[in-house]
């Protein structure tokens, strides 16, 4: 009978092999000519590395803990591909030198995080990935703020704010799993409390913002409702069922807040073109 560690390693190895083949096939079929991203979407792609970095570390830690191995391995593979695709798109986008330099530095940090994910997770590996993910998130935040300054329109601030809420929510879930794995370092509990407060305030700020459409209002309400489910899940003990609930509710929250951020991207696109 296979142990949890063996099952996780088996799932992880099979998933990585499938992902590698898919990447080769994709590379051989994608055309060389692609339309350049609008600046608002480039903004969103660069800033999206905040949430992607946290989801990478979160799902990698889930694999260490044996939480929904198939689901976690698939999510990890999907997120890794999103990171690669995002930087491929950014490479084809013309942007001011300052932003181009920031994006290049961000890619180096993201590549370093990805390089840590090629082996089945261990406690040491998960700790290293979590630390690198925090570096990626910090660099993504400064890059997003640089984009916002160049845009100089109110809706740029909203896309930045919405994008940060989707990332912080995933860092909260990551911290929950780090605690479950007994990898909680100094200040982790305090960071979780601060992050919970930030997301609550951020959602309130978005709800009061003047830039809105029926689709934005609908998705924002859905996001606030999903946040309540996630908050409730975070109160559960980190046993098998509790960790599964946090894993699934955090991904659903990420999906809703990602769509909300894309809707703000659309609103900004109308201003910036």
């Amino acid at each position: 009978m296979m142990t949890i560690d063996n099952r996780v390693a088996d799932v992880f190895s099979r998933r990585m092999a499938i992902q590698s083949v898919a990447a080769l096939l994709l590379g051989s079929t994608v055309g060389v000519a692609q339309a350049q991203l609008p600046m608002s979407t480039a903004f969103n792609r660069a800033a999206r590395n905040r949430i992607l970095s946290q989801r990478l570390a979160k799902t990698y830690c889930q694999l260490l803990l044996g939480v929904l191995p198939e689901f976690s391995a698939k999510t990890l593979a999907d997120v890794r591909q999103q990171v690669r695709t995002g930087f491929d798109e950014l490479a084809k986008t013309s942007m001011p030198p300052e932003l181009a330099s920031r994006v290049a530095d961000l890619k180096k940090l993201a590549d370093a995080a990805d390089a840590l994910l090629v082996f089945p997770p261990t406690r040491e590996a998960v700790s290293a990935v979590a630390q690198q993910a925090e570096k990626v998130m910090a660099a993504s935040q400064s890059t997003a703020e640089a984009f916002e300054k160049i845009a100089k329109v109110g809706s740029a601030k909203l896309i930045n704010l919405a994008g940060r809420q989707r990332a912080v929510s995933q860092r909260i879930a990551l911290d929950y799993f780090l605690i479950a794995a007994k990898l909680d370092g100094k200040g982790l509990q305090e960071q979780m409390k601060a992050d919970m407060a930030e997301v609550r305030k951020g959602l309130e700020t978005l709800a009061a913002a003047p830039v809105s459409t029926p689709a934005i209002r609908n998705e924002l309400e859905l996001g606030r409702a999903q946040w309540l489910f996630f908050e409730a899940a975070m109160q559960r003990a980190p046993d098998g069922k509790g960790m599964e609930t946090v894993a699934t509710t955090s991904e659903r929250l990420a999906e809703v807040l990602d769509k909300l951020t894309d809707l703000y991207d659309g609103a900004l696109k109308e201003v910036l073109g």
Side-chain angles (χ1 to χ4, degrees):
M1 182 176 181
M2 296 180 72
T3 66
I4 288 179
D5 287 344
N6 287 336
R7 289 202 305 272
V8 170
D10 182 58
V11 169
F12 189 88
S13 298
R14 285 187 285 112
R15 183 66 63 184
M16 292 302 102
I18 292 170
Q19 181 186 7
S20 297
V21 172
L24 288 173
L25 292 174
L26 182 64
S28 67
T29 57
V30 173
V32 295
Q34 289 188 357
Q36 181 169 285
L37 290 181
M39 184 57 71
S40 64
T41 303
F43 176 10
N44 193 8
R45 289 291 185 277
R48 182 171 285 168
N49 283 280
R50 290 177 293 192
I51 181 177
L52 295 179
S53 67
Q54 301 306 299
R55 288 180 69 205
L56 283 174
K58 180 192 72 173
T59 51
Y60 194 58
C61 189
Q62 287 172 199
L63 286 168
L64 172 68
L65 294 165
V67 179
L68 301 172
E70 288 280 359
F71 171 80
S72 298
K74 181 181 185 304
T75 301
L76 181 63
D78 289 347
V79 175
R80 292 180 74 191
Q81 186 57 51
Q82 287 180 53
V83 173
R84 296 189 187 105
T85 300
F87 281 114
D88 287 346
E89 293 175 337
L90 286 168
K92 299 178 177 68
T93 301
S94 177
M95 61 185 75
E98 179 191 353
L99 290 181
S101 177
R102 286 180 179 273
V103 169
D105 290 343
L106 176 59
K107 185 178 185 302
K108 291 177 183 177
L109 292 171
D111 287 346
D114 187 73
L116 296 170
L117 298 168
V118 297
F119 300 108
T122 62
R123 286 173 53 81
E124 293 76 15
V126 167
S127 180
V129 169
Q131 291 177 40
Q132 187 65 23
E134 192 60 26
K135 294 178 182 178
V136 174
M137 183 166 175
S140 301
Q141 180 65 30
S142 63
T143 302
E145 290 169 355
F147 267 98
E148 182 183 324
K149 289 178 181 178
I150 288 176
K152 295 180 180 179
V153 292
S155 48
K157 183 175 183 178
L158 292 177
I159 191 174
N160 192 5
L161 179 62
R164 180 165 173 81
Q165 304 323 299
R166 64 184 175 183
V168 174
S169 69
Q170 296 306 293
R171 185 164 67 184
I172 294 168
L174 166 61
D175 290 347
Y176 175 92
F177 289 116
L178 290 175
I179 292 171
K182 294 181 170 48
L183 291 171
D184 46 319
K186 182 179 179 181
L188 193 62
Q189 293 281 2
E190 290 73 16
Q191 177 180 277
M192 285 181 68
K193 292 178 182 177
D195 283 348
M196 297 281 280
E198 180 179 344
V199 174
R200 292 188 200 102
K201 183 178 180 180
L203 292 175
E204 290 174 0
T205 301
L206 291 171
V211 177
S212 186
T213 65
I216 286 175
R217 288 192 294 272
N218 180 69
E219 205 64 27
L220 184 54
E221 283 304 308
L222 186 58
R224 294 172 79 178
Q226 193 61 37
W227 167 252
L228 294 178
F229 287 123
F230 176 67
E231 274 194 306
M234 288 295 298
Q235 303 306 312
R236 300 189 62 146
D239 53 19
K241 188 60 177 177
M243 290 191 290
E244 288 182 4
T245 302
V246 170
T248 54
T249 56
S250 66
E251 280 300 308
R252 176 56 179 150
L253 180 61
E255 178 185 336
V256 173
L257 294 182
D258 201 41
K259 183 176 179 181
L260 176 64
T261 308
D262 286 345
L263 290 171
Y264 282 114
D265 173 9
L268 179 58
K269 197 176 299 180
E270 294 180 4
V271 178
L272 296 182

